[in-house]
């Protein structure tokens, strides 16, 4: 459940007295007094009618009251007053200004080379926030809340987010399609305007903004110029270059420097009762536009306002909580008390402004959708965004760095630092251009998004067969391997079904364990290593080998509901002797175990029960020993590998080549062996201590199939615990409902909720979704309405819209298989931070050569790797030089040679 808190909406509403606005009552009373002073004159006009004399004051009072009620009951409290005043100003014909004549648009400087001074003498300096993925959003929140809490009455803090065209040639070289699509980047700034210009105060602020870089005066100047001329190259001067004229009409600003228009919208009313992190999603409609979002805060220093606030608290304390109409007010008051107890209470004035630039239609549609989305949102979370049609000039001047100019009609009270933070746009955490490991992707609106796949978070990929979910996971796992080759600590394992990750066999995985069904003889092939050899080279071998053995024997020594702890100790002691004698196969282990059991039974209090249990346990173990039903598979006569081959394993690939379910015990034992060894690897690479700390990448393909043979507790524990130690779980499935914990597992009481695994998912890529919204809402982090239907315009509804449009989106961007330009795939994405968007996965021919599992292309890739002696990545990059399509089926040797000659710039080639 996402964090939800009460807003300050109640404190921005006109004060009430018996359901009547106090301002209206005051105006009505004043009008009544005016009516009394004119009653005699009006009465004389009607021949000294005493009735007229009596009713005149009441008519004046009623009219005054109703007029004030009209003015205070617009879409937001000051809407109609703002409209009247704006109409009067516009009537005067002020539709053109020269920026160099505007005092607020000009700065002065002296002393500090990194700051300006406004006309009132306030010093202005700023920081660019450069959050990396190692700095959590929570850290940023703590910094912001600390600054807001310590903000002095005469000072101001301003948060600005700029979204504009991306200029990063080095990134374009790696991914040319990014330049072709004109992707955008975002920059985030914090500006301070302080009256106390002492060095001590500035140093105090700088120490708090630990995630920011101090801006130079030239950088601040360039940003100020960009606000009014976003299409023009900045002058680079210390002071903004403002020799330009601006022309206003009812909705737009047009500069003489380009043909684009600029328009604005502001937050005119806070969400009705509650606000969450989802508030930032209201800004989605303007993502495709060049935009600037400015959120400014000043401290409430008005003595009269403080008195009113105190009076309001007194009123709240005496409200009758039994009345439904008072419940929201009381909830707001209770939230104030909580904020006060947590040190988060404050008294702030906020101005939230949005300025967008683009062609007329895009600007109009973007701002209209912004307002409509807010209007159509659920009533308790509904804010009001209002188009600036009267005070556009003031808004544009207000977003200048450190500007004290504001549209006072859009001034909002905020009573908590935590609430204030929820209105501030977040820094773009994923767009750290220095992050070489992050995977480059684009939103559907062509904004750059560098996805930090390597972060230890539980990630789910869902979609029906053929949509490309395994391809997407391959991209990230391959990137994980390349990051290790580039010097970053990384490790991982993949459990595959079929051949989706078969490319890992070709010099990428350090060790491969396969359960392959041989159709020619109608049975499974032997494993290529004795199972217990997998654990032999490692310090924790006893712990994980015991887990595997106890599983195939049918008991869990850690199960507190059973008394199997001592049984597990017998297995551990047997394993100690087994490894000390350098033995390998399960039959040898069974002999040692049987000898240990004789002593165990002799010392057991419940001898008969234990003997009975162990008859079953040994019988199950016999199935996998020589001569047993599955002994031929688990005790290979001529194993290809031994412990020496896996002591340095870092990337592990396990697979089953078919989806047949003919032998449950065999498949379950193989799955147990794989996850026990994978857990041992994860322990080895766990972050912390003396271990080889690395980002460990768990990946289970076709999870819905494997979950029949793997305990749900394993999935839940990996999802909930391993991310704390640098490990991330990746699950690939065809349907979200496959993650619902079965009733049989719930009856064991090891998992409390059927949705425990779904609730642990932190990142979610989806191609298709089920119609069961009870499942979808968990990943959407959103409740349904009282009828169980998705909220209109909510996240669940948007996720279904994205899923329904996936097939259409695939065809939006033309895919040319014979082009060296990177190809596109479309997938939906959402995460625990309430990001929700369709994103493009750009796939080039190098990656297609790297991930292909088709026989024809794989045969060519194997030959290239064998004879060129280059790395896997270098080989695939050369194969991508082939201009034709990547062959799926086997081709002639001449065709193969043509591809290889093109790749390696050879005139002739001869392969044996």
């Amino acid at each position: 459940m996402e964090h939800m808190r009460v807003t300050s909406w109640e404190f921005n509403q006109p004060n009430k007295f018996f359901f009547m606005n106090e301002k209206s009552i005051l105006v009505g009373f004043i009008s009544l007094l005016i009516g009394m002073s004119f009653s005699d004159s009006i009465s004389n006009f009607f021949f000294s009618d005493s009735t007229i004399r009596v009713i005149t004051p009441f008519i004046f009072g009623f009219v005054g009251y109703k007029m004030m009620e009209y003015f205070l009951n617009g879409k937001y409290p000051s809407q109609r007053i703002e409209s009247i005043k704006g109409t009067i100003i516009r009537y005067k014909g002020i539709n053109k200004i020269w920026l160099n004549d505007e005092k607020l648009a000009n700065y002065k400087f002296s002393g500090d080379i990194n700051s300006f001074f406004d006309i009132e003498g306030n010093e202005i300096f700023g920081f660019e926030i450069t959050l990396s993925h190692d700095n959590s959003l929570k850290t940023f929140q703590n910094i912001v809340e600390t600054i807001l809490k310590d903000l002095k009455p005469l000072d101001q803090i301003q948060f600005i987010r700029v979204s504009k065209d991306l200029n990063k040639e080095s990134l374009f070289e790696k991914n040319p399609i990014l330049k072709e699509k004109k992707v955008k980047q975002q920059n985030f700034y914090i500006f301070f305007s302080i009256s106390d210009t002492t060095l001590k105060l500035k140093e105090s602020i700088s120490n708090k903004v630990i995630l920011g870089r101090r801006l130079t005066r030239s950088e601040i100047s360039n940003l100020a110029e960009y606000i009014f001329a976003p299409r023009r190259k900045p002058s680079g001067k210390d002071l903004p270059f403002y020799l330009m004229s601006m022309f206003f009409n009812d909705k737009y600003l047009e500069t003489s420097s380009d043909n684009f228009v600029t328009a604005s919208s502001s937050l005119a009313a806070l969400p009705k009762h509650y606000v969450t992190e989802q508030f930032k999603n209201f800004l989605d409609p303007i993502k495709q536009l060049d935009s600037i979002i400015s959120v400014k805060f000043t401290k409430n220093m008005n003595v009269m306002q403080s008195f009113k606030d105190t009076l309001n608290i007194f009123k709240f304390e005496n409200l009758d909580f039994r009345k439904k109409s008072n419940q929201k007010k009381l909830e707001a008051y209770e939230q104030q008390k909580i904020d006060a107890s947590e040190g988060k209470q404050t008294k702030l004035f906020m101005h939230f402004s949005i300025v967008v630039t683009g062609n007329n239609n895009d600007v109009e549609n973007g701002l209209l959708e912004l307002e409509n989305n807010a209007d159509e949102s659920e009533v308790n979370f509904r804010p009001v965004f209002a188009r600036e049609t009267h005070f556009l000039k003031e808004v544009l001047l207000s977003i200048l760095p450190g500007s004290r100019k504001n549209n006072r009609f859009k001034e909002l009270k905020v009573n908590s630092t935590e609430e204030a933070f929820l209105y501030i746009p977040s820094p773009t955490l994923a767009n750290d251009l220095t992050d070489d490991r992050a995977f480059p992707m684009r939103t559907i609106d062509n904004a750059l998004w560098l996805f930090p796949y390597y972060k230890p978070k539980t990630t789910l990929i869902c979609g029906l067969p053929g949509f490309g979910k395994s391809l997407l996971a391959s991209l990230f796992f391959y990137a994980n391997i390349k990051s290790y080759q580039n010097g970053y600590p990384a490790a991982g394992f993949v459990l595959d079904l079929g051949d989706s990750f078969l490319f890992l066999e070709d010099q990428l995985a350090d060790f491969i364990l396969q359960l392959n069904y041989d159709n020619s003889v109608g049975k499974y092939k032997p494993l290529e290593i004795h199972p217990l050899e997998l654990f032999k080279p490692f310090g924790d071998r006893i712990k994980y080998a015991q887990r595997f053995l106890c599983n195939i024997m049918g008991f869990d020594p850690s199960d507190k509901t059973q008394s199997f702890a001592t049984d597990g100790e017998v297995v551990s002691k047997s394993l100690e002797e087994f490894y000390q004698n350098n033995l390998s196969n399960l039959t040898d282990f069974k002999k040692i175990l049987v000898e240990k059991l004789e002593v165990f039974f002799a010392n057991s209090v419940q001898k008969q029960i234990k003997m009975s249990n162990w008859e079953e346990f040994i019988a199950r173990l016999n199935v996998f020993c020589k001569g047993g039903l599955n002994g031929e598979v688990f005790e290979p006569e001529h194993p290809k590998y031994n412990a020496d081959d896996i002591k340095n394993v870092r990337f592990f690939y396990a697979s089953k080549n078919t989806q047949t379910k003919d032998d449950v015990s065999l498949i379950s034992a193989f799955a147990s062996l794989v996850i026990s060894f994978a857990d041992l690897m994860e322990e080895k690479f766990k972050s912390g201590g003396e271990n080889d700390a690395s980002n460990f990448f768990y990946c289970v393909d076709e999870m819905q199939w494997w979950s029949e043979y793997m305990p749900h507790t394993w999935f839940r524990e990996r999802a909930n615990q391993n991310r704390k130690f640098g490990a991330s779980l990746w699950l690939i499935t065809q349907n979200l409902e496959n993650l619902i914990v079965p009733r049989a597992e719930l009856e064991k009481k090891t998992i409390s909720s059927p949705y425990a695994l779904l609730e642990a998912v932190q990142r979610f890529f989806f191609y298709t979704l089920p119609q069961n919204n009870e499942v979808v809402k968990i990943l959407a982090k959103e409740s349904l309405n009282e009828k169980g239907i998705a909220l209109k315009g909510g996240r669940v509804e948007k996720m279904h819209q994205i899923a329904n449009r996936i097939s259409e989106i695939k065809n939006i961007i033309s895919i040319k298989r014979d082009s060296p330009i990177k190809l596109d795939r479309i997938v939906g994405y959402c995460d625990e931070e309430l990001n929700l968007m369709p994103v493009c996965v750009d796939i080039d021919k190098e990656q297609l050569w790297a991930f292909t599992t088709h026989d024809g292309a794989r045969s060519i890739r194997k030959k290239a790797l064998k004879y060129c002696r280059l790395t896997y990545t270098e080989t695939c990059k050369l194969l991508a030089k082939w201009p034709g399509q990547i062959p799926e089926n086997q081709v002639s040797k001449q065709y193969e040679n043509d591809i290889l000659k093109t790749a390696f710039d050879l005139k002739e080639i001869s392969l044996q």
Side-chain angles (χ1 to χ4, degrees):
M1 182 73 67
E2 61 182 322
H3 176 63
M4 180 174 68
R5 61 156 293 126
V6 179
T7 70
S8 303
W9 181 85
E10 289 285 352
F11 299 91
N12 286 276
Q13 301 309 301
N15 293 325
K16 301 279 188 178
F17 182 77
F18 289 107
F19 305 102
M20 295 181 289
N21 290 319
E22 291 181 357
K23 287 184 178 180
S24 300
I25 295 174
L26 179 61
V27 171
F29 180 71
I30 294 174
S31 300
L32 184 142
L33 294 178
I34 294 173
M36 290 176 63
S37 64
F38 285 98
S39 62
D40 288 339
S41 301
I42 296 175
S43 173
N44 292 334
F45 183 78
F46 288 96
F47 308 103
S48 301
D49 190 327
S50 60
T51 304
I52 297 297
R53 182 181 297 108
V54 173
I55 66 172
T56 295
F58 295 101
I59 293 174
F60 271 63
F62 178 77
V63 171
Y65 171 81
K66 294 301 290 184
M67 288 182 63
M68 199 61 194
E69 281 288 290
Y70 171 80
F71 289 135
L72 293 177
N73 285 286
K75 191 175 181 181
Y76 52 94
S78 59
Q79 179 193 14
R80 288 165 176 162
I81 298 176
E82 178 187 15
S83 178
I84 291 172
K85 184 175 180 180
T87 302
I88 294 172
I89 294 174
R90 191 171 61 218
Y91 181 75
K92 295 180 180 179
I94 303 176
N95 59 4
K96 177 182 177 181
I97 64 169
W98 284 88
L99 276 176
N100 58 333
D101 291 337
E102 293 291 325
K103 292 181 179 180
L104 286 173
N106 288 275
Y107 300 110
K108 299 178 182 179
F109 62 85
S110 63
D112 192 335
I113 61 171
N114 295 326
S115 60
F116 287 103
F117 290 86
D118 62 20
I119 58 173
E120 297 175 354
N122 298 306
E123 186 170 5
I124 300 168
F125 57 96
F127 301 84
E128 180 177 12
I129 301 302
T130 52
L131 287 177
S132 71
H133 286 283
D134 294 325
N135 303 120
S136 69
L137 195 60
K138 188 66 178 177
T139 302
F140 177 68
Q141 179 177 355
N142 292 336
I143 293 171
V144 170
E145 290 195 32
T146 300
I147 292 173
L148 291 175
K149 183 177 64 175
D150 297 340
L151 191 66
K152 299 186 180 304
L154 297 176
D155 297 339
Q156 173 186 275
I157 183 172
Q158 180 182 21
F159 301 90
I160 294 180
R161 192 190 75 183
V162 178
S163 178
K164 58 183 178 181
D165 289 339
L166 175 68
N167 293 307
K168 187 72 174 178
E169 290 300 327
S170 60
L171 189 62
F172 295 149
E173 290 174 4
K174 296 178 183 178
N175 194 350
I177 202 169
L178 296 180
K179 186 172 185 178
E180 176 187 331
K181 299 301 179 183
K182 298 179 180 179
V183 295
K184 297 188 182 298
Q185 72 175 43
Q186 290 181 345
N187 300 92
F188 192 92
Y189 306 97
I190 300 179
F191 287 98
F192 294 89
S193 174
I194 60 175
S195 57
D196 182 356
T197 60
T198 59
L199 181 61
K200 183 178 180 180
L201 178 60
K202 286 190 291 183
E203 288 179 347
S204 174
I205 293 174
S206 298
N207 291 335
K208 292 174 184 175
V209 191
I210 57 175
L211 303 178
R213 175 186 63 84
R214 182 80 181 269
L215 294 170
T216 66
R217 194 153 53 207
S218 179
E219 289 173 323
I220 299 174
S221 176
N222 288 343
L223 175 60
E225 290 185 24
Y226 175 83
I227 290 171
F228 290 101
R231 299 285 166 172
R232 194 170 68 178
K233 184 178 180 180
S235 63
K237 296 183 178 181
D238 273 352
L239 283 176
F241 185 71
Y242 279 135
L243 294 177
M244 69 175 77
S245 60
M246 298 191 302
F247 298 88
F248 292 88
N249 59 27
D250 289 351
K251 293 183 177 181
Y252 306 111
L253 173 146
E254 300 176 7
T255 66
S256 57
S257 58
D258 55 47
N259 295 322
F260 279 64
V261 298
T262 297
S264 176
S265 184
S266 297
L267 180 63
L270 301 179
K272 189 85 179 267
H273 293 300
Y274 305 108
V275 64
T276 69
E277 293 84 354
Q278 188 179 347
F279 174 82
K280 299 175 180 65
N281 291 345
F282 284 114
L283 304 176
D284 285 352
I286 63 168
K287 283 184 176 179
Q288 71 274 24
L289 298 169
D290 286 357
S291 65
I292 302 173
I293 299 173
S294 170
V295 186
K296 296 198 293 188
F297 295 95
T298 54
K299 185 76 81 173
N300 182 350
M301 58 173 289
N302 189 306
V303 177
M304 181 59 68
Q305 186 61 51
S306 297
F307 173 75
K308 290 180 179 179
D309 292 339
T310 303
L311 185 62
N312 283 336
I313 291 175
F314 177 77
K315 290 180 180 179
F316 287 150
E317 288 179 337
N318 291 278
L319 284 175
D320 185 354
F321 69 90
R322 292 169 297 182
K323 291 185 178 180
K324 189 174 182 180
S325 59
N326 290 333
Q327 289 178 0
K328 297 299 182 183
K329 295 179 182 180
L330 288 165
E331 196 171 355
Y333 171 60
E334 290 298 325
Q335 183 66 60
Q336 265 202 330
K337 292 198 294 186
I338 293 172
D339 292 334
S341 65
E342 296 178 353
K344 296 179 179 180
Q345 187 178 24
T346 187
K347 298 291 183 181
L348 298 170
F349 286 130
M350 179 179 74
H351 294 87
F352 187 112
S353 304
I354 301 168
V355 173
V356 295
T357 301
N359 66 59
N360 194 306
N361 288 335
D362 290 343
V363 167
E364 186 67 27
N365 292 336
L367 292 182
L368 182 61
E369 186 179 353
L370 171 73
E371 295 181 31
N372 289 342
N373 285 356
D375 292 343
E376 295 171 3
S377 61
E378 202 273 322
V379 62
N380 284 330
F381 297 88
R382 183 180 301 162
V384 175
F385 287 96
R387 183 72 173 271
E388 292 291 351
T389 56
H390 302 295
F391 296 97
L392 181 58
K393 168 190 168 183
E394 285 73 14
V395 172
L396 287 172
L397 292 173
S398 75
I399 65 172
L400 286 170
S403 171
R404 298 292 183 111
K405 185 77 171 180
N406 293 301
N407 179 0
R408 296 297 178 185
F409 294 103
K410 302 293 194 331
E411 189 170 72
L412 299 167
K413 299 174 192 173
V414 178
N415 294 329
S416 164
T417 57
E418 184 179 12
E419 180 189 355
F421 177 78
L422 294 174
Y423 301 125
I424 299 170
S426 300
T428 309
L429 300 179
N431 282 358
D432 180 5
L433 299 181
T434 65
D435 189 348
D436 295 330
R437 287 182 292 174
F439 189 78
M441 305 175 77
R442 296 177 294 113
T443 69
I444 198 66
D445 296 323
N446 289 328
L448 177 68
W449 186 55
L450 299 179
F451 177 60
Y453 67 89
Y454 57 88
K455 288 297 182 182
K457 293 188 175 185
T458 301
T459 306
L460 175 65
I461 303 176
C462 177
L464 294 175
F467 272 81
K469 55 186 183 295
S470 296
L471 175 62
L472 182 63
S474 297
L475 288 170
F476 299 136
F477 196 81
Y478 182 54
N480 195 45
I481 295 175
K482 289 174 70 175
S483 72
Y484 174 70
Q485 295 170 349
N486 292 329
Y488 293 102
F493 117 93
V494 172
L495 177 57
D496 191 13
L497 181 68
D499 58 2
S500 299
F501 292 85
L502 198 60
F503 68 92
L504 293 173
E505 289 187 9
D506 299 339
Q507 301 184 15
L508 289 179
D510 299 315
F511 186 74
I512 301 164
L513 184 66
Q514 295 176 310
L515 181 62
N516 286 338
Y517 188 80
D518 190 343
N519 288 308
S520 62
V521 295
K523 62 181 181 179
Y524 285 96
K525 295 180 180 180
L527 299 179
E528 295 183 327
I529 188 172
H530 285 296
L532 296 182
E533 284 281 289
L534 281 172
F535 309 99
K536 186 181 287 187
F538 304 100
D540 290 326
R541 60 191 180 187
I542 302 297
K543 174 182 176 181
Y544 293 98
Q546 182 221 48
R547 184 182 299 177
F548 160 66
L549 288 168
C550 291
N551 185 275
I552 64 174
M553 287 190 286
F555 72 94
D556 181 2
S558 65
D559 187 353
K560 296 180 180 179
T561 63
Q562 304 290 334
S563 56
F564 291 137
T566 54
D567 302 82
E569 292 175 4
V570 176
V571 177
S572 296
K573 291 178 180 178
S574 301
L575 281 168
E576 289 176 4
E577 184 174 332
F578 176 83
Y579 284 126
Q580 286 173 0
N581 295 334
N582 198 28
L583 302 176
S584 298
N585 61 56
L586 288 172
T587 298
D588 289 337
F589 167 78
K590 184 184 70 172
K591 292 177 181 178
I592 296 173
L593 177 62
V594 171
E595 293 174 0
K596 298 284 184 185
L597 285 174
E598 293 180 5
V599 178
F600 174 68
F601 293 146
N603 298 325
S604 177
V605 177
Q606 299 175 316
K607 182 177 180 179
Q608 294 301 321
I609 296 176
K610 290 294 183 182
M611 291 181 67
S612 176
N613 288 339
W614 273 101
E615 285 181 7
E616 294 184 23
F617 298 160
I618 294 297
R620 291 169 186 156
L621 180 60
N622 280 331
V623 173
F624 302 95
C625 295
K626 188 174 183 179
L629 180 63
N630 296 321
E632 188 175 346
V633 177
F634 276 76
E635 278 206 19
E637 290 188 9
H638 306 288
K640 184 176 180 180
Y641 303 107
N642 57 38
D644 292 333
D645 296 306
I646 60 173
K647 62 176 61 177
N648 296 318
V649 64
R650 182 172 283 271
F651 295 100
F652 171 47
Y653 173 54
S655 70
K656 183 180 183 300
N657 67 335
T658 66
Q659 296 192 21
T660 55
K661 299 182 178 182
D662 50 348
D663 194 326
V664 174
S665 63
L666 176 66
I667 300 171
S668 297
F670 177 75
S672 177
L673 177 63
V674 168
I675 63 176
S676 296
F677 181 63
D679 288 346
L680 185 151
M681 287 183 63
E682 189 271 331
E683 182 69 28
K684 176 187 176 185
F685 295 112
K686 183 184 293 184
S687 300
E690 298 179 356
N691 298 309
D692 186 6
S694 299
N695 294 112
F696 194 79
F697 193 116
Y698 278 100
C699 182
V700 180
D701 189 26
E702 302 296 349
M703 177 262 181
Q704 78 283 348
W705 195 91
W706 286 110
S707 63
E708 296 184 28
Y709 308 98
M710 298 165 63
H712 271 261
T713 52
W714 183 87
F715 291 108
R716 185 203 59 183
E717 289 170 1
R718 295 300 161 277
N720 289 332
Q721 299 297 325
N722 284 31
R723 60 178 182 264
K724 298 178 182 178
F725 306 106
S728 57
L729 176 65
W730 289 70
L731 300 176
I732 307 172
T733 188
Q734 295 181 13
N735 193 321
L736 285 182
E737 293 175 320
N738 299 136
L739 273 73
I740 298 177
V741 180
R743 183 183 298 273
E745 290 285 342
L746 294 174
E747 290 175 351
K748 297 178 183 178
K749 297 184 178 180
T750 55
I751 301 177
S752 59
S753 168
Y755 303 118
L757 187 54
L758 277 167
E759 290 166 351
V761 172
Q762 297 167 292
R763 303 185 296 199
F764 176 40
F765 289 95
F766 59 94
Y767 294 94
T768 57
L769 293 172
Q771 294 302 311
N772 183 357
N773 283 337
E774 291 294 330
V775 175
V776 179
K777 74 173 186 180
I778 296 173
L779 294 172
K781 312 294 183 187
E782 180 184 69
S783 300
L784 305 177
N785 66 16
E786 62 276 5
K787 296 181 179 180
I789 300 173
L791 301 175
K792 186 175 182 181
R795 291 170 56 77
V796 172
E797 184 179 77
K798 289 181 180 179
M799 289 174 69
H800 280 294
Q801 290 172 352
I802 292 172
N804 292 337
R805 291 180 55 219
I806 287 292
S807 297
E808 299 175 9
I809 294 173
K810 284 183 179 180
N811 298 322
I812 290 177
I813 302 174
S814 176
I815 298 177
K816 299 180 180 179
R817 291 184 175 272
D818 58 349
S819 171
I821 300 298
K822 295 189 176 185
L823 308 177
D824 294 335
R825 299 290 186 272
I826 306 299
V827 64
Y829 173 82
C830 73
D831 60 28
E832 62 180 352
E833 296 174 347
L834 297 179
N835 293 305
L836 174 57
M837 55 188 171
V839 294
C840 304
V841 183
D842 294 314
I843 305 172
D844 61 11
K845 293 192 73 174
E846 174 194 336
Q847 292 165 329
L848 289 177
W849 274 105
F851 308 139
T852 183
T853 57
H854 294 303
D855 292 340
R858 193 169 176 229
S859 172
I860 297 168
R861 186 178 64 204
K862 280 180 173 290
K863 290 180 179 179
L865 287 167
K866 181 178 180 180
Y867 291 100
C868 75
R869 297 181 180 179
L870 297 174
T871 67
Y872 190 90
T873 300
E874 292 170 334
T875 301
C876 293
K877 186 176 294 185
L878 292 175
L879 289 172
K881 293 165 59 177
W882 172 249
Q885 292 185 359
I886 297 176
E888 296 184 0
N889 302 315
Q890 291 287 354
V891 295
S892 66
K893 288 186 177 181
Q894 181 60 46
Y895 193 86
E896 286 186 350
N897 288 344
D898 288 342
I899 294 176
L900 294 171
K901 285 190 293 184
T902 302
F904 299 103
D905 293 326
L906 299 173
K907 293 184 178 179
E908 296 295 333
I909 189 169
S910 177
L911 300 179
Q912 300 297 324

